[in-house]
Amino acid sequence: MSAEADRAAPTTDHLAVAWDAAVATVRGNIADFTAWYPDDTTTGGAYRPRSARDGQPEGANVGWTTGFWPGMLWLAWEGTGDDAVLRAARHQVDSFADRVTRGVDLDTHDLGFLYTLSCVTPWRLVGDERARDAALAAADHLMVRFLEPAGILQAWGDLTDPVQRGRTIIDSLMNVPLLYWAAGTTGARAYRDAAIRHTEQLRRHILRPDGTTFHTFYWDVDTGEPLRGATEQGHQDGSCWARGQAWGMYGFALGYRHVREPSFLDAARRCADYFLTRLPADRVAYWDLVFTDGSGQERDSSAAAIAVCGLYEIADHVDDQDVALRYRTEADAILTSLATTYSTAHDTTSTSLLRHGVYDMPKNVGVDEGNLWGDYFYLEALSRRLRADWRSYW
Ligand code: GLY
């Protein structure tokens, strides 16, 4: 580290305290979350069992967010070596293997979020063969969603759904690492080719010239022609949904990690540079970047947590060490704000790690609550900052 970087390096004592508090909450959730899967977000600060739906009982492994729980367990185990946490993490493989075998709620691109954390990670960390097989089955399901000639992975719905046909969303960048892993583990290039095509299409069309992003974008599935951008969870079609921008920062940077395509790193930096210009005084973004201090709108702490991981990832890849230091310093400032003001470290009644997230403001779902992905990426951000040897799950 240069003398200048050394002087700038802040103490991490407060983050170590935050990590201990977060892991204590994870440990405290093990008994309940082994019996049932929590809902996407808290209700009044506490997680409840996932609601029964589509023929699945209450607390079943459905939806896009259940993998964040095993992800938290693996982070907690790596950081503590606690056998009870390891047992809980390994136990999760049963449910995810069963889900992919029985075909429960698989019509989604979110297989990447779900199976990278629940199954690729135990394969990598403890050599669990059943987890590897389940992750490969999930990657094969994801490949079915790759649409030619558009060159994109359809995000939502079954492939005949007229509303969702040809639509992808920026969040999907976090799902393609499952395909890079499948290519690496099987040697089959098709997974990797699809991942690169999809990322390139998003770079060209979902990333706008000013460094902002659309949440979603439609392609003509017959001609492959790009059609139009639109939002689903942002304020307006033309505004910039904060979490989408954070998914772009981290997702494009991970694309660069896997294929070393410079335009992917450039895309990640453009997303990051815009995101950083829109942060309020306490560095935790409002739910849409159109809003700033004085707007009276809600923050999205989960967007902030994802952005921290994205900034650390970008910093790992930029050659110019002054630029890398700037991204790390920005990440540290956001993470410090989360740890000191947004975490539940001093609140024994909350079962989330972070407060003040927003799931879907237009639909009024999970507003000013904790959520599973915010918790996961907050714990990942702390792991990245506190453990130089932490190896990415993505
Ligand atoms: N991937 C869905 C969301 O960020 O809300």
Side-chain angles (χ1 to χ4, degrees):
M1 196 186 258
S2 69
E4 188 189 343
D6 204 22
R7 274 196 303 280
T11 169
T12 55
D13 292 354
H14 62 297
L15 298 181
V17 170
W19 160 269
D20 287 344
V23 169
T25 302
V26 170
R27 278 198 179 99
N29 285 337
I30 287 176
D32 279 347
F33 294 6
T34 302
W36 42 262
Y37 283 97
D39 213 344
D40 300 318
T41 77
T42 60
T43 303
Y47 286 111
R48 295 182 183 166
R50 195 157 281 256
S51 305
R53 70 168 159 95
D54 300 333
Q56 298 297 318
E58 183 180 80
N61 186 352
V62 293
W64 72 280
T65 60
T66 50
F68 294 116
W69 170 239
M72 284 185 255
L73 290 169
W74 287 113
L75 291 170
W77 174 63
E78 283 202 284
T80 62
D82 181 337
D83 281 345
V85 177
L86 175 62
R87 276 195 300 279
R90 294 197 75 147
H91 177 74
Q92 287 294 313
V93 174
D94 295 346
S95 175
F96 283 86
D98 178 67
R99 177 168 171 176
V100 77
T101 302
R102 290 196 297 122
V104 176
D105 199 14
L106 302 183
D107 281 335
T108 171
H109 68 145
D110 289 318
L111 293 164
F113 277 118
L114 289 163
Y115 282 85
T116 299
L117 296 176
S118 67
C119 289
V120 174
T121 299
W123 161 244
R124 283 190 175 131
L125 294 182
V126 296
D128 186 324
E129 299 268 357
R130 206 156 64 94
R132 176 183 181 275
D133 292 348
L136 276 177
D140 287 338
H141 274 281
L142 184 53
M143 284 294 282
V144 171
R145 307 183 71 77
F146 186 70
L147 305 181
E148 292 284 13
I152 55 129
L153 294 156
Q154 181 171 316
W156 294 319
D158 79 46
L159 298 177
T160 59
D161 180 338
V163 177
Q164 301 300 344
R165 212 164 140 65
R167 185 186 205 188
T168 196
I169 71 174
I170 191 158
D171 325 28
S172 63
L173 291 170
M174 298 300 296
N175 288 315
V176 294
L178 179 67
L179 300 182
Y180 290 122
W181 169 79
T185 205
T186 62
R189 277 202 71 94
Y191 300 108
R192 178 182 163 93
D193 292 346
I196 294 172
R197 289 267 315 279
H198 178 80
T199 307
E200 176 59 11
Q201 287 291 59
L202 267 62
R203 188 188 72 80
R204 283 171 187 254
H205 301 291
I206 220 160
L207 177 61
R208 298 184 286 225
D210 62 357
T212 64
T213 50
F214 288 112
H215 179 194
T216 86
F217 203 96
Y218 291 88
W219 274 258
D220 183 313
V221 291
D222 298 317
T223 67
E225 190 191 344
L227 296 176
R228 67 185 171 89
T231 199
E232 183 75 17
Q233 285 158 258
H235 178 58
Q236 290 171 328
D237 288 343
S239 69
C240 187
W241 179 48
R243 193 159 66 255
Q245 193 77 1
W247 292 136
M249 291 161 66
Y250 200 9
F252 281 123
L254 290 170
Y256 179 77
R257 166 191 281 270
H258 287 286
V259 297
R260 302 285 153 176
E261 166 51 49
S263 65
F264 292 173
L265 183 58
D266 179 64
R269 288 189 60 184
R270 287 170 58 202
C271 290
D273 291 345
Y274 182 79
F275 187 90
L276 293 171
T277 66
R278 300 298 302 168
L279 295 188
D282 78 354
R283 316 306 286 163
V284 173
Y286 288 88
W287 67 276
D288 191 297
L289 297 180
V290 75
F291 300 117
T292 54
D293 282 338
S295 62
Q297 295 285 327
E298 301 289 348
R299 312 305 177 103
D300 180 9
S301 58
S302 72
I306 297 157
V308 172
C309 295
L311 289 166
Y312 287 143
E313 184 71 31
I314 293 169
D316 284 346
H317 302 300
V318 293
D319 291 331
D320 183 327
Q321 287 310 296
D322 289 336
V323 175
L325 178 61
R326 183 168 66 79
Y327 286 126
R328 286 200 181 97
T329 303
E330 293 282 8
D332 286 350
I334 301 170
L335 184 55
T336 292
S337 186
L338 289 176
T340 55
T341 312
Y342 290 78
S343 80
T344 57
H346 304 293
D347 169 1
T348 51
T349 61
S350 290
T351 53
S352 63
L353 308 188
L354 284 182
R355 300 172 295 160
H356 306 309
V358 169
Y359 184 4
D360 190 331
M361 182 66 89
K363 297 189 191 69
N364 193 27
V365 176
V367 174
D368 196 23
E369 293 285 353
N371 55 60
L372 290 170
W373 59 94
D375 289 354
Y376 169 80
F377 286 102
Y378 172 60
L379 202 59
E380 182 185 308
L382 288 170
S383 302
R384 295 184 76 118
R385 186 64 184 86
L386 295 169
R387 296 188 42 225
D389 63 342
W390 184 75
R391 284 196 53 215
S392 175
Y393 297 172
W394 304 99

